[in-house]
Amino acid sequence: MGRQFKSISSAQREFIASQVVFFVSTATREGHINLSPKGIDTFRILSENKVVWLNLTGSGNETAAHVMESDRMTIMFCAFQGAPKILRLYGKASVFHPGDPQFDKMKELFPDIPGSRQIFEMDVELVQSSCGMGVPLMEYKGHREELLDWAKDLGEQGLLEYRKKKNTLSLDGRPTGLPDYN
């Protein structure tokens, strides 16, 4: 049975810090539900009820489009090593793009990662833990470098052109809020 909490405890903070991957889920009233795995050094806990994560340029931009229409977000961590555990954070999210004062301020929380596209901030309303006994044991071998290499090779101008082509609309044709690249 799952247990529910109103905030992130110090033990839960340690569990989150030890995970190398997390999953983000968002949805609008209609259309596709989005569930994305995230990795690298892109997640920060600001307080017991506030987290932020850095989003990197990728093939889509569903999360941003969804958050602009419906601020609901769920973030999930699960243990692939050690004791079985799943931890979910439920809350309301905001998205900040380069040029937004909040983006520029929060960007300092993260290393300089090629392809950084947005920062999401979530006010955590509910924390839920569950057993995770169905999650397989897996060995972590390291982060993949392909996304970072791709972003470095494209360079800033190439990334802007890519985002304009691939990241301004969601699968359902919703705007993602990226700055006007014209």
Side-chain angles (χ1 to χ4, degrees), residues 4 31 39 55-56 60 67 101 106 121 164:
Q4 296 180 349
N55 195 27
L56 306 178
V67 166
M106 286 188 263
E121 177 182 67
K164 182 178 182 179

Side-chain angles (χ1 to χ4, degrees), residues 36-162:
S36 294
K38 305 293 178 185
I40 312 178
D41 185 17
T42 57
F43 192 85
R44 299 288 182 273
I45 300 172
L46 300 184
S47 72
E48 62 186 18
N49 289 99
K50 189 174 294 286
V51 299
V52 295
W53 59 276
L54 179 66
N55 195 27
L56 306 178
T57 302
S59 58
N61 199 3
E62 303 306 299
T63 305
H66 289 179
V67 166
M68 289 180 61
E69 189 173 315
S70 173
D71 59 0
R72 298 173 303 143
M73 181 180 282
T74 301
I75 300 174
M76 183 182 78
F77 300 88
C78 53
F80 293 105
Q81 298 177 343
K85 184 174 189 165
I86 297 171
L87 188 71
R88 291 179 183 89
L89 308 177
Y90 298 91
K92 305 286 187 199
S94 301
V95 58
F96 304 109
H97 301 94
D100 293 339
Q102 300 94 325
F103 179 91
D104 296 336
K105 181 180 176 188
M106 286 188 263
K107 179 89 166 70
E108 297 172 5
L109 298 170
F110 302 96
D112 187 22
I113 300 174
S116 297
R117 178 176 61 189
Q118 294 135 332
I119 294 177
F120 289 86
E121 177 182 67
M122 187 172 88
D123 292 320
V124 177
E125 299 173 335
L126 176 67
V127 177
Q128 183 182 32
S129 66
S130 56
C131 69
M133 289 186 272
V135 175
L137 288 170
M138 295 169 45
E139 184 180 339
Y140 173 67
K141 293 185 177 186
H143 289 296
R144 296 177 191 263
E145 298 293 322
E146 292 90 345
L147 181 64
L148 303 178
D149 293 342
W150 171 81
K152 281 183 208 170
D153 289 346
L154 274 183
E156 279 306 310
Q157 187 58 40
L159 284 165
L160 291 174
E161 291 169 13
Y162 180 87

